[in-house]
Amino acid sequence: MKFNIKNWHCYLIILALAIFISYKIFRPGFMLFLDNPTHLSMYKYYIEEIILKQHFIFGFNPSDFAGMPIGSIYSQIGFFLLTIMNLVFNIPLELSYKILVFLAYLTPSLLLYFLCSKYFDKMPSLAISLLYLIIWKDVILTIFGGMWTYYIGISFLLIFLYFLIKFYTKHSIKYVLILSVLFSLIILSHPFATFAAICLMGSFFLANFIIRRVCVKKTTVGLMVVFFLAFLTTAIYTLPLAIDLSSWLRSYAWGLGLNYFQILYRLVLPLAFAVPQNLMLNDLINPLRNQEYLLLLKNLWQFFVASFPQLIILLFSVIGVRNYIKNRKENSEKIFFLTVIGIFSITTFIISSGFWHLNSFLHNLPIISGLISHRFQIYTEIGMLIFAAYGITELWNKRTSSFIHEKRNILAIIFVLFILINFSSYYPQNKIVKTSESSEMFKEEVLPLWSWIEKNVDEKETRILYQSFWKNTDSEYDSDSIHAMSVHYTNVNFIGGWTGGTPNPTEFTLTSTKGNRLLGKTIETISDEEVVTRLKMLNVKYVVVIEPKLKNKLESSKNFKKEYSIGRFEVYSLKDYNPEWFDFKYETEYTINTFESQNIDITIKDAKKDNKVLVKLAKNPYWHAYLNNKEIEIKNNGLGLMEIEVKEAGNLRLVYDPIRKPYILLTFIGIIILVVLSTYTLICRNKPI
């Protein structure tokens, strides 16, 4: 069947749907859902403090976790793009951030259409690209939840796939260089996208070996060059992670379940089943237990509606796989493309199980110890979408006597109408696209709270600790990490504003306030004395509480005083504590000359042989201490903070220095090699390997 539709029509339709689904994020204010406040706060600090003041791409952020590296342990592409948009093009940071979120949402769909339309009919390619945009958990929830740099990496990965196929058809140096640049961009986008790209290269190599063994040598050489050049050009980012910070970073990844049965059903079920935005699995189990059959039927219908796009994808991907098996001996670029996708989908399906996390030895192995397995399910879904496009194309074009083929037009109309009628089930809930200025909670509770803190808390003297929203309050607050933005309103550094899996060691030992935790323990198990000791250790004078158990604990304590209350927030101060950033073992007279985020300078006026000082900032390999211009060791106090022996009076200076000239040199060499080879390629015009 021929479809009279042009490519630009299809791109326009995809763009229109993406705009319709996401336009609310462009309302005034910053995005609130999940990790967005965390990331925006980090980018704002990075541009204002690291780029403009330190003139480097790495630095130290004193907010949360008692301070943490910025730039060096997070995806670089977001920092680069936002810095350029904000400083070069003068686009406000909040708007720049939203533009990139939108592009991260839109671009993979456009690229899916571009790739599929090369091999399959336009209408099936358009259909699967539109279905991608309404995938709930692994697209809408993840991207609008703040993990958009990962999907920029996925966009680069799809372009990478396109040029891998080009490299298959012609082993040209030009394609090797393009692949090197793209692999570098993937590395800078996200570690999970990097691992997926390695899997994709492995799938490409294996498909090449299966289909065309005579070219294995050229393929191997080409892929090795891609690896080598990408390693060189990204050395400034990857080597600090691999060499300097690897022993310091905490592994935080997890698998799909606590046993193999749990992993299996959580792995297979999402292929055909989606949970509605407003329901949980318990909404099926509880009505059944309580014999509320009308409610059960209502909820079952909602689950079916939510799962309908996934069922379509599954149905046609199965048809696509069946047709691939029939045509697998066909010597064509399309079959090779599908072979690569098939191997890649199976590989990422296995990886998304996270089976190794059930074994303590495998869980602690380098690289895979940091893989959050469910983040790889998106690649299996992309593979299913591609096979679905193939299945629909084959079904429409081949004359068979099957029911689906004979009724294909009627079925297509039914599918489209069903999705349109129930489109509200796929449209993101308001909380997902909510901004600060559209949130009553933010305007009526959070802003007055931050205003009080700005007026009553001295930002130079102390930190403030926020109890996290995460698993401490109901969903009406809609933002687990909103307090991450507080420092830009109050100028007071904080603990407890960030959420999500982070590799910072102090989150585990001392600073987490998520899910009933407080200062490294649970609210029930931490004693009043431990609360006081650890708050002083972190130089926290004020605690902002949202959860009743902690409110009761501090209210009944003789060591705390309620200072302010608004809505569900209550602010308590620690009695009889004069904030200080340094805690000496013995009473010591000292003066603070400089106390900045990357540079600290104090003068110690009296000496004691076995004296030591606790610096109330997180220890990190890039901190260096100098006593009277001689470098001395910085130790860990056991909970992740800096402890230094000071055996003599004089000047104590701490400097955060992440600059590593060898890494910069390697990156510079990589860029030079790329430029030289690119110039050579332009002169020689597609010279083969």
Side-chain angles (χ1 to χ4, degrees):
M1 181 177 178
K2 301 295 182 181
F3 299 102
N4 187 22
I5 186 170
K6 296 182 179 179
N7 277 326
W8 71 269
H9 292 148
C10 297
Y11 290 122
L12 196 60
I13 292 169
I14 294 169
L15 176 62
L17 180 60
I19 291 172
F20 179 68
I21 288 176
S22 63
Y23 76 94
K24 287 184 179 180
I25 69 172
F26 290 97
R27 290 176 292 183
F30 59 87
M31 294 177 68
L32 289 179
F33 189 55
L34 293 181
D35 295 340
N36 286 300
T38 294
H39 295 157
L40 182 62
S41 175
M42 176 174 62
Y43 292 131
K44 186 173 176 64
Y45 178 85
Y46 177 83
I47 291 171
E48 293 176 354
E49 296 294 327
I50 307 304
I51 296 294
L52 293 179
K53 294 182 181 179
Q54 305 303 319
H55 310 298
F56 194 55
I57 60 172
F58 302 146
F60 188 79
N61 185 352
S63 289
D64 227 331
F65 310 119
M68 59 182 170
I70 186 167
S72 52
I73 62 172
Y74 292 96
S75 310
Q76 287 292 303
I77 201 74
F79 294 111
F80 292 163
L81 292 176
L82 284 168
T83 299
I84 293 168
M85 292 171 74
N86 185 237
L87 297 183
V88 178
F89 296 104
N90 294 316
I91 304 173
L93 185 60
E94 285 181 10
L95 179 57
S96 299
Y97 184 92
K98 293 173 183 179
I99 290 171
L100 290 181
V101 171
F102 173 72
L103 290 176
Y105 175 58
L106 169 68
T107 310
S109 181
L110 294 175
L111 290 169
L112 268 174
Y113 174 77
F114 173 77
L115 277 172
C116 290
S117 63
K118 294 288 181 184
Y119 304 104
F120 320 128
D121 289 349
K122 292 185 177 68
M123 286 301 289
S125 302
L126 174 62
I128 65 98
S129 301
L130 295 175
L131 285 173
Y132 167 87
L133 289 175
I134 60 173
I135 291 176
W136 166 239
K137 182 177 76 71
D138 291 321
V139 177
I140 292 176
L141 186 68
T142 306
I143 296 173
F144 293 152
M147 205 172 173
W148 52 270
T149 58
Y150 183 30
Y151 284 73
I152 289 179
I154 290 174
S155 298
F156 287 131
L157 184 73
L158 291 171
I159 303 171
F160 187 78
L161 170 61
Y162 171 75
F163 281 103
L164 272 177
I165 304 302
K166 286 285 187 181
F167 180 60
Y168 167 78
T169 58
K170 186 174 185 179
H171 288 89
S172 166
I173 295 175
K174 178 181 76 172
Y175 294 133
V176 171
L177 297 177
I178 292 171
L179 288 168
S180 300
V181 172
L182 287 168
F183 189 38
S184 299
L185 291 171
I186 292 169
I187 292 170
L188 295 174
S189 297
H190 204 278
F192 299 164
T194 303
F195 195 80
I198 294 171
C199 293
L200 182 59
M201 282 190 277
S203 303
F204 173 78
F205 178 84
L206 187 56
N208 222 311
F209 182 78
I210 294 169
I211 293 175
R212 193 172 61 177
R213 296 188 181 186
V214 292
C215 297
V216 168
K217 184 177 179 181
K218 290 183 177 181
T219 301
T220 304
V221 172
L223 293 180
M224 288 177 64
V225 173
V226 170
F227 262 106
F228 177 70
L229 289 177
F231 164 76
L232 285 180
T233 52
T234 61
I236 193 171
Y237 168 62
T238 55
L239 290 184
L241 280 173
I243 298 174
D244 301 340
L245 298 172
S246 58
S247 61
W248 173 82
L249 294 173
R250 180 177 67 88
S251 175
Y252 63 91
W254 58 89
L256 281 183
L258 301 175
N259 54 63
Y260 289 109
F261 175 76
Q262 200 174 60
I263 285 175
L264 185 62
Y265 83 77
R266 288 182 177 177
L267 188 64
V268 175
L269 211 59
L271 299 181
F273 184 76
V275 178
Q277 298 182 42
N278 59 332
L279 296 179
M280 302 290 286
L281 284 175
N282 284 336
D283 293 301
L284 290 181
I285 298 170
N286 292 335
L288 186 61
R289 285 176 177 171
N290 300 330
Q291 298 182 356
E292 297 174 332
Y293 298 118
L294 286 177
L295 180 60
L296 176 63
L297 289 173
K298 177 185 174 183
N299 291 349
L300 277 171
W301 174 252
Q302 289 191 56
F303 271 85
F304 173 74
V305 171
S307 303
F308 187 73
Q310 202 68 37
L311 289 168
I312 294 174
I313 295 168
L314 178 62
L315 171 65
F316 288 109
S317 64
V318 169
I319 294 172
V321 170
R322 187 191 65 181
N323 280 282
Y324 166 77
I325 293 171
K326 287 181 179 179
N327 301 325
R328 68 186 184 278
K329 294 183 179 180
E330 179 185 314
N331 185 18
S332 67
E333 186 180 315
K334 176 171 68 177
I335 291 300
F336 178 77
F337 170 72
L338 289 170
T339 303
V340 173
I341 293 300
I343 297 171
F344 178 65
S345 299
I346 293 169
T347 304
T348 53
F349 181 74
I350 294 169
I351 292 170
S352 63
S353 71
F355 67 89
W356 61 88
H357 289 299
L358 297 180
N359 181 283
S360 58
F361 172 75
L362 295 175
H363 171 74
N364 292 304
L365 288 176
I367 301 177
I368 65 171
S369 64
L371 297 180
I372 301 176
S373 57
H374 71 88
R375 295 300 184 196
F376 288 83
Q377 289 178 312
I378 182 61
Y379 300 111
T380 304
E381 290 174 308
I382 288 174
M384 289 173 64
L385 286 166
I386 292 171
F387 270 97
Y390 177 55
I392 298 171
T393 299
E394 291 293 296
L395 190 66
W396 248 251
N397 291 338
K398 289 191 175 180
R399 296 182 178 275
T400 66
S401 59
S402 69
F403 172 81
I404 294 179
H405 177 77
E406 291 176 354
K407 306 295 183 182
R408 60 193 185 279
N409 292 329
I410 296 173
L411 290 173
I413 292 170
I414 292 172
F415 289 164
V416 171
L417 286 176
F418 187 91
I419 289 175
L420 289 175
I421 292 168
N422 295 284
F423 194 76
S424 60
S425 298
Y426 315 118
Y427 194 81
Q429 290 176 317
N430 188 51
K431 69 176 183 179
I432 294 172
V433 291
K434 187 180 288 185
T435 64
S436 56
E437 294 301 314
S438 63
S439 167
E440 294 301 318
M441 180 271 293
F442 179 79
K443 291 185 285 189
E444 294 176 2
E445 296 185 35
V446 175
L447 271 182
L449 171 68
W450 290 353
S451 178
W452 183 90
I453 291 169
E454 182 187 21
K455 293 173 183 176
N456 294 275
V457 180
D458 188 342
E459 73 272 11
K460 295 180 180 179
E461 297 294 326
T462 186
R463 288 189 181 98
I464 192 161
L465 183 141
Y466 294 102
Q467 186 181 23
S468 173
F469 288 4
W470 194 78
K471 291 190 176 180
N472 286 321
T473 187
D474 55 54
S475 60
E476 73 177 75
Y477 279 80
D478 300 336
S479 176
D480 295 333
S481 61
I482 193 169
H483 288 308
M485 282 295 292
S486 66
V487 66
H488 304 293
Y489 287 75
T490 66
N491 295 316
V492 179
N493 283 321
F494 62 86
I495 285 171
W498 292 44
T499 60
T502 61
N504 299 284
T506 55
E507 184 193 22
F508 180 75
T509 61
L510 196 59
T511 61
S512 176
T513 63
K514 300 184 294 186
N516 198 41
R517 294 189 65 80
L518 178 69
L519 301 169
K521 295 191 173 184
T522 64
I523 293 172
E524 293 86 357
T525 59
I526 192 167
S527 68
D528 199 47
E529 291 74 19
E530 285 177 309
V531 173
V532 172
T533 299
R534 294 192 173 201
L535 287 177
K536 289 181 178 179
M537 190 182 296
L538 291 167
N539 194 28
V540 170
K541 173 76 174 177
Y542 297 90
V543 181
V544 177
V545 185
I546 194 172
E547 184 266 341
K549 282 188 288 186
L550 185 55
K551 288 179 182 178
N552 294 336
K553 190 179 190 75
L554 300 187
E555 186 75 39
S556 61
S557 172
K558 63 181 180 180
N559 296 304
F560 292 91
K561 175 187 175 184
K562 185 190 287 187
E563 298 282 358
Y564 179 71
S565 177
I566 184 166
R568 297 191 190 185
F569 296 110
E570 291 182 4
V571 182
Y572 292 85
S573 65
L574 182 59
K575 294 179 182 178
D576 304 320
Y577 174 57
N578 294 318
E580 54 185 356
W581 292 103
F582 306 94
D583 187 10
F584 286 85
K585 181 179 179 181
Y586 303 109
E587 187 174 337
T588 303
E589 185 180 355
Y590 68 94
T591 58
I592 300 177
N593 305 316
T594 305
F595 194 86
E596 298 173 347
S597 60
Q598 326 291 309
N599 183 38
I600 299 169
D601 191 300
I602 66 172
T603 299
I604 302 170
K605 297 184 178 179
D606 52 348
K608 294 181 176 62
K609 284 187 178 180
D610 60 341
N611 201 4
K612 58 184 177 181
V613 59
L614 174 70
V615 182
K616 299 177 182 181
L617 291 169
K619 184 182 182 300
N620 182 274
Y622 291 138
W623 276 112
H624 299 273
Y626 303 89
L627 183 59
N628 296 322
N629 295 321
K630 293 180 181 178
E631 186 165 7
I632 56 176
E633 183 183 4
I634 300 176
K635 296 180 180 179
N636 188 325
N637 78 325
L639 293 172
L641 304 181
M642 291 191 285
E643 194 171 71
I644 303 169
E645 293 183 1
V646 284
K647 299 179 180 179
E648 57 184 271
N651 176 256
L652 176 63
R653 186 165 55 93
L654 286 89
V655 178
Y656 191 81
D657 181 17
I659 298 174
R660 296 292 182 269
K661 292 181 180 178
Y663 306 160
I664 298 172
L665 179 61
L666 283 174
T667 295
F668 182 73
I669 291 171
I671 293 171
I672 292 297
I673 292 173
L674 271 176
V675 171
V676 170
L677 289 177
S678 299
T679 305
Y680 171 77
T681 304
L682 286 172
I683 295 170
C684 296
R685 292 287 178 185
N686 293 333
K687 186 176 178 65
I689 295 176

